[in-house]
């Protein structure tokens, strides 16, 4: 395979693009940070060539969420071009040109919906101005068709390519002054559009970080301690260096930051297999480390002890929970647990680095390229401007590649080696040195009144952290539903120390909290003798927006609407007649998206669970940029969520016990359910879709299992032996 192509126009080329016979549009986006505004930096641009082809740079990392397609669609729509004549290219990391570049939080659409459409509209205005100047016609008499400026009165027409050079000399209008199309005029936005890389992906073209090749490139592996943070006590490197093809083996001291350079031993060879064989020949002794005393069994025992005492702190307290419980017609107590999870990206962590001419050049599948650049510079004692990061397509991120530890490792090895080096982790490396979705323990008490309403809710949440700070992604917000919807509500938290790295996994926090909250709501509905959908609608009530707009607010009306829709589309009132088959429902709000889902499951006599179908109802605002991409994201989220119900990462002696897909299973294609998706287009700004469809499916499946078997799922992963027919 050849080199991965990159598109890196210089600042001079951007400003002087018209002189090359084309038009380069570069605009300051209103949504960027104040420092970027003051510096007058550029962070989006379009190039129009004399032949009429339009090149649109995609500034953010592509991790499979379709951003390399959907964001250029916004520009192309308002520019009014033929999508078949558009090329999209991946930008390099360049905060001076693009502002912040990242993939995470389902934020691409909310951050760019207005600004990138304005970029396209401003470019269209400049092309119209160029034609008006050529023809001596008023600009307001001109219009456009895809790729063409038209003067209807005279019948004149000019394609964009012929106008590009002159348009480059026209003053750019202020972005907030350009008129935007009405949605009824859209030709590109809202049309199902295949991802721009799909042909290259299915034909095996080099797009991903793991595909990278450079002349004279060597390959590296990196051995780290099984116990997180342990240093190298001693290393016998002779046997590794004796392996055919091994060029070098050496110790890197590393530091204590999980997302920096970990202590370890590098092996560099002519091929990756030789590097791996050399690594297997290493004889390394690891220093003692306090985390070696930690284990999953120890966490569980500590959680039970903490739950029995006074909480560490109270995050929220409304009303009088004790009085509410005492006055309840029925009460329910339950303990819920969800385990650590690995991201299990199909492309293992990798990075190619080359230190030359005093600069470190990096090709990396990273979700946060700029923090990666900064930590490499800090680790190696380089100036940040001497670290160059090229972004490659990412073979699965899910939050894992928000951390750049693999980038630092590759850079440190290349800095020592001098030649281009590609570091590729093994699957075992990837699973045993992840930033895991944190485990959590919830000790719940709830009560329902005689008229079937929730009278009280108390959650003692035992999680991980130190002092006032929870471990990364291990917290729970005091506004988490059903807070503000139950008069007597209390959320307590207690924490225990953790030596295992954690981090965000797709729909961080929500992927676990929804399981607990929506499952316990089902328990209370059952205690009240109420239908689970009707019970939830009663809980939502006739409220509108609760709290402030944004992530902290909760629009009960929007949630009720998707709940009613999914109940209708799933035929909720028609219960499965077959034995050990049932439907379950759940909803959740996260990443600005409102989702309700119904799952239908069949549970075999041996306890094996098969999810037959999932219905999804979604409200992510008034517009779906790319319906095909939207369905991909929702279906992927549902499959991800179901898959998470079967996996777990366990800790013994401070080390991860699982190492590959034989012990951390993913859902197989023949076990994937039928997924039916329905959208409500509400009068709200468009929001992201990479994450919010995942959280509801987990409790929907758990509640369906209860409907099928009468057995409540309070602990994950699913254990078929507990569900077997008696």
């Amino acid at each position: 395979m050849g080199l991965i192509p990159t598109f890196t126009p210089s600042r001079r080329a951007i400003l002087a693009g018209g002189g090359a016979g084309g038009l380069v549009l570069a605009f300051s986006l209103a949504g960027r940070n104040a420092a970027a505004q003051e510096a007058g930096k550029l962070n989006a641009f379009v190039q129009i060539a004399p032949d009429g082809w339009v090149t649109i740079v995609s500034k953010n990392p592509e991790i499979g969420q379709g951003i390399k397609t959907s964001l250029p669609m916004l520009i192309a729509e308002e520019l009014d071009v033929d999508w078949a004549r558009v090329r999209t290219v991946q930008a390099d990391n360049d905060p001076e040109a693009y502002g912040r570049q990242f993939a995470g939080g389902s934020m691409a659409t909310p951050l760019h919906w207005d600004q990138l459409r304005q970029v396209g509209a401003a470019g269209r205005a400049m092309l119209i101005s160029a034609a008006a100047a050529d023809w001596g016609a008023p600009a307001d008499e001109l219009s456009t068709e895809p790729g063409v400026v038209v003067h209807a009165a005279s019948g004149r027409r000019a394609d964009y390519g012929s106008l590009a050079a002159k348009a480059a000399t026209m003053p750019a209008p202020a972005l907030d002054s350009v008129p935007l199309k009405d949605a009824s005029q859209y030709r590109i936005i809202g049309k199902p559009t295949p991802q721009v890389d799909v042909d290259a992906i299915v034909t095996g073209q080099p797009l991903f970080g793991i595909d990278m090749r450079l002349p004279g490139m060597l390959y590296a592996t990196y051995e780290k301690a099984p116990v997180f943070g342990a240093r190298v006590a001693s290393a016998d490197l002779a046997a590794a260096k004796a392996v055919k093809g091994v060029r070098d083996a050496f110790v890197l001291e590393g530091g204590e930051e999980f997302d920096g350079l970990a202590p370890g031993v590098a092996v560099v060879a002519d091929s990756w297999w030789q590097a791996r064989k050399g690594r297997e020949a290493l004889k390394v002794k690891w220093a003692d480390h306090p985390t070696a005393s930690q284990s999953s069994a120890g966490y569980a025992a500590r959680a039970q002890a903490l739950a029995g005492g006074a909480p560490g702190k109270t995050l929220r307290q409304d009303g009088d929970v004790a009085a509410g419980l005492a006055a309840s017609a029925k009460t329910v107590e339950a303990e819920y647990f969800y385990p650590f999870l690995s991201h299990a990206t199909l492309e293992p962590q990798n990075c190619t680095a080359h230190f030359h001419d005093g600069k470190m050049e990096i090709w990396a599948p990273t979700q946060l390229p700029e923090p990666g650049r900064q930590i490499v510079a800090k680790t190696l004692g380089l100036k940040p401007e001497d670290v160059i990061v090229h972004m490659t397509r990412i073979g699965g991120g899910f939050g894992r590649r928000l951390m750049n530890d693999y980038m630092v490792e590759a850079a440190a090895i290349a800095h020592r080696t001098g030649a281009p080096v590609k570091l590729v982790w093994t699957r075992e490396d990837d699973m045993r040195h992840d930033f895991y979705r944190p485990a959590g323990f919830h000790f719940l008490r709830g009560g329902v009144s005689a008229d079937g309403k929730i009278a009280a809710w108390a959650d003692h949440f035992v999680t991980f952290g130190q002092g006032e700070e929870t471990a990364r992604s291990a917290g729970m917000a005091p506004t988490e539903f059903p807070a503000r919807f139950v008069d007597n509500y209390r959320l307590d938290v207690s924490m225990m120390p953790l030596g295992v790295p954690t981090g965000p996994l797709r729909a961080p926090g929500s992927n676990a909290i929804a399981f607990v909250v929506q499952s316990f709501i089902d328990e209370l509905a059952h205690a009240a003798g109420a239908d689970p959908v009707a019970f939830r609608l009663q809980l939502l009530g006739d409220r509108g927006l609760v709290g402030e707009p944004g992530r902290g607010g909760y629009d009960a009306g929007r949630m009720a609407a998707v709940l009613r829709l999914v109940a209708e589309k799933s035929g909720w009132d028609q219960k499965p007649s077959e034995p050990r088959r049932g439907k379950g429902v759940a909803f959740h709000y996260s990443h600005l998206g409102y989702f309700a889902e119904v799952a239908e499951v069949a549970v075999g006599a041996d306890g094996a669970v098969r999810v037959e179908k999932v219905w999804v109802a979604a409200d992510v605002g008034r517009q779906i940029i790319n319906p095909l991409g939207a369905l991909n994201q929702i279906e992927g989220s549902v499959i991800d969520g179901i898959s998470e119900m079967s996996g777990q990462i366990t800790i013994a002696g401070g080390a991860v016990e699982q190492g590959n897909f034989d012990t951390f299973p993913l859902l197989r294609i023949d076990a994937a359910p039928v997924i039916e998706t329905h959208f409500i287009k509400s009068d709200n700004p468009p929001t992201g879709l990479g994450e919010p469809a995942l959280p509801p499916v987990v409790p929907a499946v758990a509640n369906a299992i209860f409907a099928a078997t009468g057995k409540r799922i309070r602990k994950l992963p699913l254990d078929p032996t507990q569900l077997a027919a008696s």
Side-chain angles (χ1 to χ4, degrees), residues 393-469:
R393 190 178 176 99
I394 302 170
F398 316 115
R400 172 59 180 91
R401 288 176 161 106
L402 292 169
M403 313 304 173
N404 289 295
D405 48 330
Y406 53 94
M407 186 192 296
V408 183
E409 291 172 6
I413 295 169
H415 192 256
R416 168 81 173 257
T417 303
V421 173
K422 178 161 76 173
L423 170 71
V424 180
W425 287 20
T426 66
R427 180 64 61 196
E428 289 75 15
D429 291 336
D430 213 32
M431 202 160 285
R432 291 173 179 158
H433 291 280
D434 202 346
F435 289 78
Y436 305 97
R437 193 282 299 275
F441 306 81
H442 293 257
F443 300 84
L444 293 146
R445 293 175 296 147
V448 291
S449 59
D451 60 355
K453 297 179 181 180
I454 297 181
W457 180 296
D459 182 2
H460 188 170
F461 175 34
V462 180
T463 185
F464 299 93
Q466 198 76 34
E468 292 295 312
E469 295 293 325

Side-chain angles (χ1 to χ4, degrees), residues 1 26 75 163 246 264 295 307 454 542-543 557 577 644 657 705 724:
M1 293 183 181
I75 297 174
L163 295 169
V246 170
S295 67
I454 297 181
D542 58 1
R543 303 173 180 87
S577 58
E644 288 176 4
E657 294 186 292
I705 292 170

Side-chain angles (χ1 to χ4, degrees), residues 1 9 207 236 309 333 488 499 508 537 577 631 651:
M1 293 183 181
L207 292 171
D236 182 351
E333 293 193 18
N488 302 306
L537 287 171
S577 58
L631 289 177
I651 309 299

